[in-house]
Amino acid sequence: CFCHDNRLWGCDKDKICASKLGDPFNFSDYSTLADASWTVAILSTEPFTGGISYNGYPTFFKEDRIIRVSGNYPSQYSTFETADVPGVMKGSEKSLAIANGYLYYLSPDGVCAYSGSYPSVISEALGESLSDGISGAGSDKYYIEASTEGDSASGKAVYVYDTSVRAWTKEESIGALGFTDIGRDLYALTEDGIYLLDSIKDKGEAEEDIASFLEFAPIYDGHLKKKGLSKLHLSLKVETGTTVKILISYDDEGYEKVMTISPTMRRNVNIPLTIKRCGYYQIKIVAKGGYTLYGIGRERYFGSDM
């Protein structure tokens, strides 16, 4: 299971499910309201092998296909499937991790990099068959501990892919039970304790990096009807070592963070937002370091008069 747009998403045999909006334990409300839960049956019979929220879409995997869900609420949800591609290997559902804008995972063909179109195998240089992968991602590195046919005493090894230079390194097994990132630091949980594997502090944070924010004036969209903001479209470039945070305020209720954007080769970022009706809203961009904003667009819907 994973969280996306204030819903809990998961899969069971041949079904993809989403909980009621803001209610992660309710998967049985099939009313016609926008906050209802949702379920859809998938025709392919192979078992699901993983799932994650990526690039604004709930994304599910089988060993030979990728299924993404588009839309902002149940009556809009639809699935589109890419078949005959390397999906997540059975038993490696924990190998999914996002580094530098790309989604990485272990497939039956090896470690893949995925950007939303067709996944590419990037682990040919390792010369080893991997299985049972558990992964995490630092600021620009992808870590995977996996079973290997190599010569490590435990039958496992840690492989680190540096996305900035596209190179692999191999390290001894640490017996990772799981990975998690907090801020820009990557931690690994083992039977012996918790280890810090990757940190922006290790690379040195430039003293000249300047904290800044860009706050837009209240947006009424030309009338006083109730409205909801469903998606932002940003065209921007984020420099290395910079993190940009996007925040939204509805009717002066205070800002809430909706996404953190790290350096990436892609300039266009789509940010799906929880459906929330309001009279007006404000957008705020907070950053430390350099970035360039080329343009901003938004999708919204309108409701009744105030």
Side-chain angles (χ1 to χ4, degrees), residues 179-224:
F179 294 85
T180 189
D181 59 283
I182 301 176
R184 302 172 75 179
D185 299 334
L186 177 67
Y187 295 87
L189 174 65
T190 73
E191 292 183 352
D192 298 325
I194 298 174
Y195 294 87
L196 174 63
L197 297 181
D198 191 89
S199 174
I200 192 65
K201 297 175 184 177
D202 295 337
K203 303 172 180 59
E205 199 162 4
E207 294 182 359
E208 62 269 23
D209 284 350
I210 299 174
S212 62
F213 71 90
L214 176 63
E215 187 173 29
F216 290 81
I219 300 172
Y220 290 87
D221 286 319
H223 56 78
L224 298 179

Side-chain angles (χ1 to χ4, degrees), residues 80-144:
F80 49 105
E81 184 173 324
T82 305
D84 300 322
V85 298
V88 173
M89 176 187 286
K90 184 178 180 181
S92 294
E93 65 279 356
K94 292 183 179 181
S95 69
L96 290 155
I98 300 170
N100 212 7
Y102 284 82
L103 175 62
Y104 297 90
Y105 59 87
L106 180 60
S107 77
D109 298 334
V111 177
C112 287
Y114 176 67
S115 62
S117 55
Y118 191 94
S120 300
V121 178
I122 60 169
S123 59
E124 297 96 333
L126 297 179
E128 295 179 330
S129 298
L130 307 181
S131 61
D132 302 318
I134 300 176
S135 302
S139 56
D140 55 6
K141 293 181 180 179
Y142 172 73
Y143 292 74
I144 177 169

Side-chain angles (χ1 to χ4, degrees), residues 278-299:
C278 61
Y280 61 90
Y281 53 89
Q282 288 182 267
I283 300 169
K284 187 175 184 179
I285 301 176
V286 178
K288 185 174 183 181
Y291 72 98
T292 303
L293 178 65
Y294 297 99
I296 184 169
R298 58 193 186 276
E299 294 181 10

